[in-house]
Amino acid sequence: MPVLDRDPSKDLGDLEGLPKLPLPALKDTLDMYLRCMKHLLTEEQFNKTQNLVKEFGAPGGVGELLQSKLMERRENKANWVYDYWLNDMYLNNRLALPVNSSPAMVFPQQTFRAPIDSLRFAAHLISGVLEYKTLLDAHALPVDYARGQLAGTPLCMEQYYRLFTSYRLPGLDRDTLVAQESTVMPEPDHIIVACRNQFFVLDVVINFRRLNERDLLTQLDKIVKMADSEEEELPPIGLLTSDGRTEWAESRSVLMRESTNRDSLDMIERCLCLVCLDDASGPQLSDSSRAMLMLHGGGVAKNGGNRWYDKPMQFVVGADGCCGVVCEHSAFEGIVLVQCTEYLLKYMIGSPSKLVRAASVSELPAPRRLRWKCTPEIHKLLASSADKLQRLVRNLDINVHKFCAYGKEFIKKQKMSPDAYIQVALQLAYYRCHGRPVSTYESASIRRFQQGRVDNIRSATPEALAFVKAMTDGKLSTSDKEKMELLQSAITAQTKYTILAITGMAIDNHLLGLREIAHELKLEKPELFKDEGYLISNQFILSTSQVPTTVEMFCCYGPVVPNGYGTCYNPQTNHIIFSVSSFHESPQTCSAEFVDCLVQTLLYMRDLCKRCNSASNPNEQRKGQALDSQTQTETNWQNKTPQKHSELSKNQQTVPQVLVNTLDQTKVEAQTQTSSQGEAHTLQNGSKS
């Protein structure tokens, strides 16, 4: 299969008319870098960083040389940063995909009264997948358009065409994103069904006819019966895909020695997607436990081996109604996952299942069980993978919370961007928990450009820190009016940086490009990129993403550093769903404590807004007086010692892991497009929420 390094515009035609990603001026990026980092470093660290930046950007220096080479690259490539970004974000990373990289979308809890009900759901879902694939094949999917700032700009659709035609191939040093090309070989006409850790080929086109739901149900029923046959049960080979990428690459090379295994791998790697029929996972499931089951399958004892993590789309249908989709993230952003899954759920709601019962007798050929020849060496590798997955399962601490006090409607009434407001709340909540600001990642889509993926909104702004300090310093002399002004300043700063990011002028992709072009030119790594400040800047202890949906579901993912939080949020009209993850092994983090701080923060920010609004509106004064009774409670909260304060400096300067989770931001585009002058108008016209 060919490597996905060609210009997709040659086959898709989706890039026509889209501008190329701009290249920011070197001075602008270096100045912004210093501004972003000054308040996150000690004075000594910052002085060193400042000197290195000055040296790097000096006239005739290495920075100017690298910038000129990047300008040449921009002329010759559809997107100058795409390959660098893809390798740095995903393919170079050696961590296991579950939890560390692959996000999951958790569907509403289903009620299956009998085993056949879950198979009906799966058959209906597969039917929706085939409908969606038909739209993709015909290039009939409507083009997405930007909303908010620069509304109406068409967006790059390239990522959609990788949903069912790509595969992440493990490598010893770097993975490869491969893609099927119909000009080279026929499009795959099968999906892989995982059941009881066994894998089955389900042909969805037989004799040039697409299977209907009745046929799909018949075949799924056969698969379940085949999986129940203990004498034919094979080892849970899928566990190998949950291992570190180098370990899985080594295991795959061992598997490839046998022709039987090569054939089975080929069928999996060329399939449209996986459908994982999971066993029930025990007692009644909470949102948090369902999120964990989606991210890692519950480990070896549950459904951890009933997966193949290299495939972009794995639809999970649990016998207990725990359903969702796990995605391999290198091929596309969260927006594509949201759009696809929303289409499927709406298809299933709007197109009632055409099933009455499964046909008792069918002329369809039976699905094929994939065979594996397992040597003692492979059994040993499986045991090792199983142990590591269990450690990952035990380590993940996830807390899914539905905040019901208010949602984006209240925030919009304050003439504030919901996304910027929530980002400032996250800064305050983290500071309450840990007593310090930290480098923060929020993904921003750059799909308005050819092959656009994402850049980073650096939410830990100096303005956010000023607001946070005013809210936590315990000084009763700081008036509500002053706090409100600081909040509005923080939201304005967040919004301005967001606009920089979505228009291709943020700093992270640019700095990455400068670093990588130096490596390509075989230059010694510039001192700027060896600097402790640079390492801290890329240690994203808060990895955040807004993933709003129009149907009931939520997204979740793991932290990107050992002492960090993964924080995904879904703002709805009158509530906000938060999915907060961390690792139990870190003494610094606790998802439940962070959620508690976040809830208190959101309540306090609401009350601040209400008090300030009532102060400026005499008709609201009586309502404002009703909040007076809360003031003492808020003061107590304000003066509360941060829960992790004693360890606030521990590991602050550890070298970051390379991986940064990046889920796309919005239903149509990842952006908080609200300007400080026209927020109300912009929000009305479809800002980030």
Side-chain angles (χ1 to χ4, degrees), residues 324-354:
V325 57
V326 186
C327 91
E328 196 292 294
H329 208 349
S330 67
F332 47 81
E333 300 309 326
I335 182 58
V336 174
L337 178 64
V338 170
Q339 296 284 65
C340 176
T341 50
E342 290 202 341
Y343 174 93
L344 296 175
L345 290 180
K346 288 174 181 175
Y347 168 88
M348 294 173 75
I349 294 165
S351 166
S353 178
K354 302 173 183 65

Side-chain angles (χ1 to χ4, degrees), residues 177-309:
L177 183 60
V178 296
Q180 316 281 353
E181 286 188 75
S182 54
T183 53
V184 177
M185 61 182 73
E187 286 276 330
D189 287 333
H190 69 278
I191 65 172
I192 295 294
V193 177
C195 184
R196 303 278 171 87
N197 302 331
Q198 311 292 291
F199 297 96
F200 300 86
V201 178
L202 172 56
D203 291 311
V204 293
V205 177
I206 297 178
N207 295 330
F208 304 102
R209 181 179 72 85
R210 200 177 92 188
L211 268 58
N212 59 32
E213 278 185 49
R214 174 191 286 269
D215 292 337
L216 290 168
L217 179 57
T218 299
Q219 298 296 73
L220 290 172
D221 195 42
K222 288 178 186 175
I223 284 171
V224 171
K225 289 181 171 66
M226 292 167 71
D228 284 341
S229 173
E230 289 184 12
E231 61 268 19
E232 291 199 71
E233 194 171 328
L234 295 165
I237 296 294
L239 286 173
L240 297 174
T241 71
S242 73
D243 212 330
R245 301 308 290 170
T246 298
E247 292 87 344
W248 165 218
E250 291 167 344
S251 299
R252 186 178 179 278
S253 67
V254 175
L255 282 172
M256 290 284 283
R257 294 172 192 163
E258 291 282 353
S259 62
T260 300
N261 298 340
R262 288 199 296 273
D263 292 343
S264 293
L265 286 167
D266 181 61
M267 291 306 292
I268 294 176
E269 292 169 7
R270 287 193 301 107
C271 73
L272 287 170
C273 62
L274 256 76
V275 173
C276 308
L277 301 177
D278 277 9
D279 291 336
S281 296
Q284 191 172 3
L285 298 170
S286 66
D287 285 348
S288 297
S289 58
R290 289 192 299 132
M292 282 190 274
L293 288 169
M294 282 302 125
L295 288 172
H296 54 52
V300 180
K302 294 185 179 177
N303 297 292
N306 209 44
R307 301 282 185 274
W308 199 272
Y309 282 100

Side-chain angles (χ1 to χ4, degrees), residues 361-392:
V361 179
S362 175
E363 297 174 5
L364 295 170
R368 306 187 300 287
R369 184 195 301 262
L370 292 183
R371 303 287 174 180
W372 307 98
K373 283 194 176 176
C374 292
T375 61
E377 184 180 5
I378 290 171
H379 282 287
K380 188 177 178 182
L381 292 169
L382 277 167
S384 173
S385 296
D387 286 345
K388 280 179 268 189
L389 179 60
Q390 285 306 103
R391 287 204 294 274
L392 199 56

Side-chain angles (χ1 to χ4, degrees), residues 150-164:
L150 308 180
T153 307
L155 305 177
C156 182
M157 297 293 287
E158 176 202 359
Q159 296 174 38
Y160 286 93
Y161 298 94
R162 294 200 285 265
L163 276 165
F164 303 110

Side-chain angles (χ1 to χ4, degrees), residues 119-149:
L119 299 187
R120 283 195 180 99
F121 183 90
H124 204 180
L125 182 66
I126 293 168
S127 185
V129 167
L130 299 179
E131 285 286 332
Y132 196 73
K133 181 68 164 57
T134 300
L135 286 176
L136 289 171
D137 290 344
H139 282 244
L141 205 62
V143 172
D144 290 344
Y145 286 88
R147 300 174 67 174
Q149 295 293 326

